[in-house]
Amino acid sequence: MASSLRFRGRRCAKRRRWVVAVVPKRDHDFIRQLLMSMESADDWLTVSALHMGSNADSQKEYFHMQLLADQGLVQERGRNGDVYRLTAQGHDYLDSIRDEGVWSKTKAAVAETGGSASIEIMKQLAMAYLRKQIADRTGLDI
């Protein structure tokens, strides 16, 4: 996981010390894992709090929850931006990437074209593979 984190430092003029913030890269496997854990949770709300002194894992989770909120896959429900719910779009995306075969093909396609893609591109690729899988099994074009 340390390889997916970048550290940025800046000098705080008032305190005369360095402030270090973790800037993670988007991790599609981690996003998939987050969505699956949200769906399988007993409660429909998920808490992802970020506070002073948060470790790298907490910061990575919070960063990715914010990315999911930006894409409309989760919705912030708390006053402090720390409580989330999975939206209908989030459920749709999760349904398209749930199958391990579809997910593997999606990641492979991205890797072949440079290794980086937006969440929207990942969703469109996964939906295309899922549609093909359904067409191959049923003979119906969707």
Side-chain angles (χ1 to χ4, degrees):
M1 174 181 9
S3 64
S4 68
L5 301 177
R6 291 179 291 153
F7 293 89
R8 267 196 202 148
R10 64 179 169 86
R11 188 145 172 96
C12 179
K14 289 183 180 179
R15 305 265 186 218
R16 295 182 184 229
R17 57 185 157 172
W18 284 91
V19 177
V20 177
V22 177
V23 183
K25 290 183 178 179
R26 182 172 41 208
D27 180 340
H28 291 287
D29 285 315
F30 189 72
I31 287 171
R32 181 176 182 246
Q33 183 181 39
L34 275 175
L35 292 172
M36 290 179 124
S37 68
M38 287 181 76
E39 183 188 52
S40 65
D42 292 335
D43 196 352
W44 62 280
L45 294 174
T46 299
V47 176
S48 179
L50 183 65
H51 49 80
M52 293 301 288
S54 291
N55 62 24
D57 290 340
S58 295
Q59 291 181 23
K60 181 179 179 179
E61 179 180 315
Y62 185 78
F63 171 78
H64 283 85
M65 292 299 284
Q66 291 297 306
L67 288 177
L68 293 172
D70 292 345
Q71 291 296 310
L73 302 176
V74 299
Q75 181 182 41
E76 292 182 68
R77 300 294 294 180
R79 283 186 256 168
N80 300 323
D82 56 357
V83 179
Y84 301 88
R85 75 168 186 86
L86 196 56
T87 64
Q89 289 179 357
H91 281 284
D92 290 346
Y93 180 53
L94 182 56
D95 287 341
S96 70
I97 62 174
R98 182 183 320 279
D99 181 81
E100 197 62 47
V102 168
W103 182 240
S104 295
K105 288 177 185 177
T106 302
K107 291 192 318 180
V110 169
E112 289 174 10
T113 60
S116 182
S118 67
I119 292 172
E120 185 60 33
I121 294 295
M122 295 291 285
K123 181 179 178 181
Q124 290 176 13
L125 277 170
M127 291 295 289
Y129 283 121
L130 185 60
R131 283 186 182 105
K132 183 176 179 344
Q133 187 178 66
I134 290 171
D136 289 349
R137 292 183 182 168
T138 65
L140 300 172
D141 286 331
I142 302 176

